[in-house]
Amino acid sequence: MKRNKLLSLLLVGAMTVSMLAGCGSKAETGSGQAAEGTQAASQEAGGAESAAAESTENPTITFMCIDIYGKAMGNVGSEDVLKAAEDYTGINVDFNWVANDSYSDILGVTLMDKANMPMVITYGSDLGANIVQAAKDGAFWDLNDFVWDEEKYPNLSKMNENVCKAFTVDGQLVGVYRSRPIGRNGLGYRADWAEKLGLEEPKTIEDIYNMMYQFTYGDPDGNGKDDTYGLCMCKYTGPLDIIQAWFGAGNQWKEVDGKLVPVHQTEEYLEALKWMKKMYDDGLIYKDWATRETNTWTDGVKNGECGMFLDVLDNSRRIWDYFETEGIPSVTGEGNASMKLNGGIAAEEGGEPHTLATSGAAGCFLITKAGAKTEQDVENCLTYLDKMNDEDMRILADYGLEGRDHEINEEGYIVDLLADKEIQEKPEIGLNQSVAYVPDLPDMKTVEKSDRLIEEEAIKAANVDIAVFNPASGYLVSSKINAEVGTDLKDILDRARTQYICGQIDENGLQEQFKVWEQRGGADLITEINEMYQADQTK
């Protein structure tokens, strides 16, 4: 088993230290004998021993990493965790832990200090203008020249190329992305409401609308009052993006007739928008949804006002957890209230289901040229990042050492022996910030999971094949126009969409806002993006 391999490595490491100590004693004895007439031979032997000792030392990489909890690798037992990681990966890491709250400020200073540049820098979000410009100026290695070697990097070579596009600047892959679930977006709905009303799992947009309507006007809670709504909404407009993907509008941009176009210029977008306006006009969502705060969003389902929740599946599952832990009774009269999780939805009967892909990442690991000066340095960095994705290292980073911090029970589940400790007190805390979590390991050992979490993870995995990516993501990263006005352009479209749904502007007003978008830089952005896109097509 792999964990036995890890224990063996620790044992071998201890034996190696003992043997090196023994060699040191013999060297001293030899030098004494050399004084009696064999000095030259002793020097030659000593030189060989020194070279051998040096060759056994692991190479060191420097790593600027995010400190989330304020005490990364600073607890009792942390040194043993780091030693286990070093023995396994064959790489020693000199970490520079930087507090999350001040990370962006310190990163800016770090990028200007080439003399003290770390080899690896953690970047915690989508590439910002400063990172893109640094990449254009040649600050980072092009990892395309390294990571796709399956023999050297069996884990990193399995990175999703669609996700990698968002970390590619002018054709150069500048980061190893920190993986997050691609198929995370989906629908959750009150299963007990559906059961009471005789509704089956929705498969199409028409099914969704019918469920929303019945949840609003079919008295699903049985109290005889008109006090329920279909879909829970707040001013965060992510659910509208998911609905557009159901209609086939794409994800921000779409390839149409060999050209990349923003989704608001597609027929499917307008069709989806009219559907959402009808949803609003028919009273299936809160009238004041556009002003409701995001931090109270899930309350609408928890308190029994709304029956459907559209966002990341985690949140729908957490609502389900709430029903269980709080003992919220089912409207059927049996057991607790429950949620059903759903992945993709088809535009029509027999059509292909879709969901909106997430970015698939929470930032990346950058390898700097000022820090990693040679190709061997780069390979050392990538070796560490690759091996930390092995099952043993993921378990180490999340649960510490087996036998001390966790154990494996008879059913094969991880038992956290430090479960009663605060997370910031655990010896492994922080090490997971150096793990890319690539690729997904569906059969990896884990703690025992609830049926609710198992259902969530199964749908996320199934969603990967139907998740719609943004085909322009790699070009938007490199776009000068997007860097200058991208945020403003997005705000124009988001505001116009909300105003149209709520009846504040009609379709003519909507089209006027689309013209404003073009005049503020949108038309130039389309030209720029397609110039890059066509250049790629002709390669």
Side-chain angles (χ1 to χ4, degrees), residues 378-397:
V378 178
E379 292 186 0
N380 292 340
C381 295
L382 291 175
T383 294
Y384 175 82
L385 291 173
D386 188 87
K387 290 188 175 182
M388 286 302 294
N389 291 309
D390 285 351
E391 181 177 12
D392 283 343
M393 291 298 95
R394 294 193 192 190
I395 293 175
L396 178 74

Side-chain angles (χ1 to χ4, degrees), residues 62-65 96-98 102-123 130-131 134 139-140 366 368-371:
T62 53
F63 202 134
M64 179 173 166
C65 217
N96 175 24
W97 298 101
V98 178
S102 56
Y103 196 87
S104 59
D105 293 335
I106 293 177
L107 175 61
V109 174
T110 301
L111 290 173
M112 294 186 291
D113 187 8
K114 292 186 177 181
N116 297 296
M117 188 78 70
M119 294 182 179
V120 184
I121 291 177
T122 304
Y123 190 74
N130 59 334
I131 297 297
F140 311 115
L366 305 158
T368 69
K369 288 185 177 179

Side-chain angles (χ1 to χ4, degrees), residues 233-238 289-294 498:
M233 287 286 295
C234 69
K235 63 183 180 182
Y236 169 65
T237 57
W289 68 272
T291 59
R292 288 188 172 235
E293 295 298 325
T294 306
T498 297

Side-chain angles (χ1 to χ4, degrees), residues 41 72 91 153 159 222 228-229 269 341 347-348 371 407 431 498 529:
I91 305 293
Y153 312 113
M159 286 193 294
T228 58
Y229 296 89
Y269 176 89
L341 307 183
E348 57 189 6
E407 63 184 12
L431 188 59
T498 297
I529 292 300

Side-chain angles (χ1 to χ4, degrees), residues 182-183 185 245 251 355-360 466-470:
I182 292 169
N185 289 318
N251 183 345
T355 191
L356 192 77
T358 69
S359 66
I466 60 172
V468 181
F469 283 91
N470 179 358

Side-chain angles (χ1 to χ4, degrees), residues 176-221:
V176 170
Y177 66 79
R178 304 166 72 207
S179 179
R180 297 296 183 270
I182 292 169
R184 195 179 176 194
N185 289 318
L187 175 72
Y189 63 90
R190 284 285 297 264
D192 55 324
W193 282 19
E195 181 181 350
K196 180 178 179 182
L197 297 173
L199 300 173
E200 296 182 354
E201 179 179 357
K203 301 291 187 182
T204 67
I205 292 168
E206 184 179 354
D207 295 339
I208 292 289
Y209 201 88
N210 181 53
M211 179 172 280
M212 284 195 296
Y213 196 91
Q214 292 300 319
F215 279 1
T216 304
Y217 298 112
D219 193 22
D221 57 4

